[in-house]
Amino acid sequence: MGVGGCLVLPWRCLVVLCLRLLFLVPAGVPVRSGDATFPKAMDNVTVRQGESAILRCLVDNRVTRVAWLNRSSILFAGNDKWCLDPRVELVTNTQTQYVIQIKDVDVYDEGPYTCSVQTDNHPKTLRVHLIVQVPPKIVEISSDISINEGGNISLTCIATGRPDPMITWRHISPKAVGFLSEDEYLEITGITREQSGAYECSASNDVSPPVVRRVNVTVNYAPYISGAKSTGVPVGQKGILQCDASAVPSAKFQWYKDDKRLSEGQKGLKVENKAFFSRLTFFNVSEQDYGNYTCVAYNQLGNTNASIILYEISEPTSSTLFQGPGAVHDGNSDGSRTVASVWLLSVLLFHLLPKF
């Protein structure tokens, strides 16, 4: 393929023959560049996909005929367009340069282009290579995955582009350092819960900013109780027992006392279950509420439990409360007057003693 729509029909041989006749090139005689200081063409032309390519050929007043060709297809000969592709346009045809433009360049336009001139019955050519760069595009990537802790995973990221893009994988995590892989594939064996989260595939080839896609990896594991603290509460007060657990999927909770399961409907008791904790609330603690409680956390991967004690403590009295600055004291007024009298007497003695 070349520039689309050009005269590359089954009668290609006829086109080549027409070209030879146009420039009076004897059959079998090779046409070479470098025989003179012209035509002069630019270096290889590199453009991005979708942009316009300018093909420039420098000539002088000795040139009688000039043309641009794509492989064996004539694009322009002088001012005449031989190409049916509307993207190809003649930009300049003067005694010093012959320039065409190809708009909206695509990968099939890549390849050699030839500037051919005729002067003093001596045809000469110069070839320029059009290079089309294509931004990276991720065309295939693994779906989000859920796996049990200890399993193995393989993530795939396939990208296209020109030049071939470089692919890297990294774990989006505060503890992650550097790239996990500089390849299309990322293999993780014996995965742990700390390795769950988002994994980012980046494809880059310096043609445009890197293209980034993410795969979410969920690592399932059995519950682990991280917090279960015994609590002391006076009789008649509100008491709370809490059990914290981490698990994927989230743990479900059950409470027991002396092998008897507790439920939300029991009088004076509230059971509150959330994704990561369960709370047992006693609104008015009685003597019968004290004792050992068991919190059970479970999911389809396993279960665990912890023992929590609700124990009795004495209700604090006013004499045991901390009194900070500015606290009001309820004391004997006579005692206050006695303290004041002693203070006044000490002040009086302090002033009288120097006189003696």
Side-chain angles (χ1 to χ4, degrees):
M1 292 290 293
V3 173
C6 297
L7 300 181
V8 287
L9 302 175
W11 38 286
R12 174 179 294 180
C13 294
L14 178 60
V15 174
V16 176
L17 179 60
C18 291
L19 180 64
R20 286 174 175 169
L21 292 174
L22 177 66
F23 293 103
L24 302 177
V25 182
V29 177
V31 178
R32 297 176 297 173
S33 62
D35 294 338
T37 57
F38 72 93
K40 294 181 179 179
M42 55 202 305
D43 294 331
N44 290 343
V45 177
T46 301
V47 295
R48 295 183 183 181
Q49 185 182 41
E51 296 181 346
S52 295
I54 300 294
L55 305 183
R56 192 184 312 273
C57 185
L58 301 181
V59 296
D60 63 20
N61 56 10
R62 290 174 293 173
V63 174
T64 58
R65 294 185 180 89
V66 63
W68 269 108
L69 300 83
N70 171 222
R71 299 177 179 88
S72 60
S73 306
I74 303 174
L75 303 180
F76 266 92
N79 292 322
D80 298 326
K81 183 175 181 179
W82 286 47
C83 179
L84 302 179
D85 193 331
R87 299 176 304 133
V88 182
E89 297 178 348
L90 179 64
V91 177
T92 304
N93 182 13
T94 66
Q95 291 186 346
T96 58
Q97 59 180 342
Y98 188 57
V99 183
I100 64 170
Q101 174 181 252
I102 305 173
K103 296 181 178 180
D104 193 21
V105 170
D106 210 336
V107 292
Y108 53 75
D109 297 316
E110 186 170 282
Y113 289 77
T114 303
C115 174
S116 180
V117 302
Q118 176 73 26
T119 173
D120 298 330
N121 297 325
H122 297 295
K124 296 180 177 65
T125 64
L126 199 147
R127 178 174 293 184
V128 61
H129 199 90
L130 177 61
I131 300 172
V132 180
Q133 293 184 328
V134 181
K137 180 181 180 181
I138 296 176
V139 295
E140 180 183 342
I141 191 167
S142 298
S143 302
D144 294 346
I145 186 173
S146 178
I147 187 170
N148 293 344
E149 190 170 33
N152 304 327
I153 64 170
S154 177
L155 303 181
T156 302
C157 182
I158 306 296
T160 60
R162 290 191 180 195
D164 292 337
M166 181 180 71
I167 296 177
T168 57
W169 281 99
R170 70 187 183 100
H171 185 200
I172 309 301
S173 168
K175 298 181 181 179
V177 178
F179 296 116
L180 297 177
S181 172
E182 295 185 2
D183 189 72
E184 295 175 343
Y185 305 99
L186 174 63
E187 306 281 346
I188 302 178
T189 58
I191 195 167
T192 65
R193 64 192 69 179
E194 289 78 16
Q195 292 174 299
S196 64
Y199 286 79
E200 182 179 273
C201 170
S202 175
S204 60
N205 65 358
D206 296 330
V207 177
S208 66
V211 177
V212 173
R213 296 272 298 273
R214 289 185 178 184
V215 177
N216 291 313
V217 175
T218 301
V219 179
N220 305 311
Y221 58 93
Y224 168 75
I225 293 180
S226 56
K229 185 178 180 180
S230 297
T231 305
V233 181
V235 172
Q237 298 297 316
K238 182 179 180 180
I240 296 177
L241 299 179
Q242 183 163 315
C243 178
D244 300 324
S246 61
V248 178
S250 298
K252 296 181 180 180
F253 295 90
Q254 290 180 353
W255 287 92
Y256 293 86
K257 183 185 180 186
D258 300 330
D259 297 329
K260 180 181 179 182
R261 182 179 173 182
L262 305 178
S263 61
E264 173 69 28
Q266 292 183 236
K267 185 177 180 181
L269 185 67
K270 180 182 179 181
V271 180
E272 182 182 5
N273 292 327
K274 299 295 184 181
F276 301 105
F277 72 88
S278 180
R279 184 178 295 144
L280 194 61
T281 302
F282 303 85
F283 294 103
N284 187 5
V285 175
S286 66
E287 292 286 351
Q288 291 75 25
D289 294 325
Y290 295 121
N292 184 59
Y293 290 81
T294 301
C295 169
V296 178
Y298 64 95
N299 64 12
Q300 57 263 47
L301 298 180
N303 64 81
T304 186
N305 65 79
S307 179
I308 308 175
I309 299 175
L310 181 67
Y311 59 90
E312 182 179 6
I313 60 173
S314 300
E315 188 170 0
T317 62
S318 58
S319 61
T320 61
L321 295 175
F322 173 76
Q323 295 177 329
V328 179
H329 301 275
D330 293 329
N332 190 303
S333 59
D334 292 336
S336 300
R337 285 194 294 271
T338 301
V339 173
S341 299
V342 172
W343 178 76
L344 290 173
L345 180 60
S346 63
V347 172
L348 179 62
L349 289 175
F350 176 77
H351 288 283
L352 292 178
L353 284 176
K355 296 182 181 181
F356 295 96

